[in-house]
Amino acid sequence: MTTLTRTGRTPGIPAFVPPGAAAGPTAAELIRRERTYGARNYDPLPVVISHGEGSWLVDVEGRRHLDLMSAYSAVSFGHGHPKIVAALTEQAHRLAVTSRAYFNDRLPLLLERLVAMTGLDRALPVNTGLEAVETAIKAARKWGHKVKGIPEGRARIIACRGNFHGRSITITGLSTEAQYRDGFGPFPAGLDTIPFGDPAALAAAIGPDTAAFLVEPVQGEAGIVVPPDGYLAHCAEICHRRRVLLICDEVQTGLGRTGHTLGWQHDGAMPDGVILGKALGGGLLPVSAFVATDEVMQVFNPGDHGSTFGGNPLAASVALAAIGVLEDERLVMRSRELGAWLLDELRAIASPLVVDVRGRGLFIGIEVDAARVTAREVVDRLLARGILSKDTHGTVVRIAPPLNVPREALVWAVGEIRAVLSEIEGETRAAARA
Ligand SMILES: *Cc1c(COP(=O)(O)O)cnc(C)c1O
């Protein structure tokens, strides 16, 4: 049994000596500058990262942290994966950006790969997750008007309460999070929301003008909310019968995160469109895509939609390398097996502070009892022990490491999580006695 401390060694994990760690400004000074000169749209944990390697991040003071967050799945294949970095640097030296005014010699290979991976017909590459979601919404609306025959300007999109699809104006208009909407209206018309995990609510919400149902296979930002088994299959059946597109937002669940290549595969529910992002960029670049059936994608004619950087050869090379790593390292199976094991381990902690541990694959949420502790408190204490996680929605601690995280690192992390929970429990009990 190996033991691992934040500064210690574990077989297979080299001790990390950050080059020139002490050279720059101190952590406190960097945090001060960011707080002084940056917009206040984020509230980061007080740790300043300067290096990353695999599942490990090193801060400017040379402390090593286990990354249980993977930048919201953007780093599903670990930090600085040698094969993905090699693809990036080789391609950067050769050709990086051409725009879509010309063909390039990398994009066709990526498109073919995306189509093979999803079982759909055509892919449209863009850059960030929200751009791909916007692309899907544009495609769905135009399909609704031109193919389904919805009167022009009347197409409606249904999404789920608690969704997270990004932060553009339209997507914010779909959000049910008061803070995300506050002050940002007016929002576009034609957007509806229904409860997540409830096929009957979908059936009831569909009207003659409904073009698409947009859904996350597992809701990430809502707190790793897992729907009942069979949910998406049921939704697919309803959508098919009512001539409504089923579009899965796999920006966070895609590429192995839930123990399937794509999250919808858990139910075998074939969607009409899939949105990919985050992990598709191999932890190095923003790369996203909307992948759909011919019937949907044929609504786009030259000039209808596009992005200057979308499908650039640098991004295509990196995405191809990322998909290669997913397959070569058998990370889908690894996520499924390691995730099932981790879920059991975390459930076995059985702390009275924890009300639920849930997840699929290496996509796990620990929900704490809001009356007794905040998720942020747990996250702060894990940080002090060299573990980076993140609270979401006040009560959920998100556990989503790189899919190739060493098992022994997770064994260590489970011990630290157990220690943090019993530490807080002990203190609350002592405070209650006093
Ligand atoms: C992160 C996320 C997005 C938005 O991606 P960005 O790259 O941040 O624009 C969209 N959908 C889901 C499910 C996400 O998790």
Side-chain angles (χ1 to χ4, degrees), residues 170-215:
T170 302
I171 295 169
T172 299
L174 277 171
S175 178
T176 52
E177 190 67 23
Q179 191 207 337
Y180 293 174
R181 303 171 62 93
D182 185 31
F184 295 116
F187 302 110
L191 308 174
D192 302 309
T193 52
I194 58 170
F196 180 64
D198 180 358
L202 173 64
I206 290 174
D209 295 340
T210 304
F213 175 48
L214 173 65
V215 63

Side-chain angles (χ1 to χ4, degrees), residues 38-81:
R40 296 199 193 95
N41 59 328
Y42 277 96
D43 179 24
L45 299 185
V47 57
V48 182
I49 312 291
S50 57
H51 294 81
E53 187 187 277
S55 297
W56 298 91
L57 289 168
V58 179
D59 67 27
V60 288
E61 280 142 1
R63 280 186 301 244
R64 209 164 63 135
H65 306 264
L66 178 64
D67 184 0
L68 292 188
M69 235 285 283
S70 325
Y72 302 93
S73 293
V75 186
S76 278
F77 312 127
H79 297 275
H81 193 292

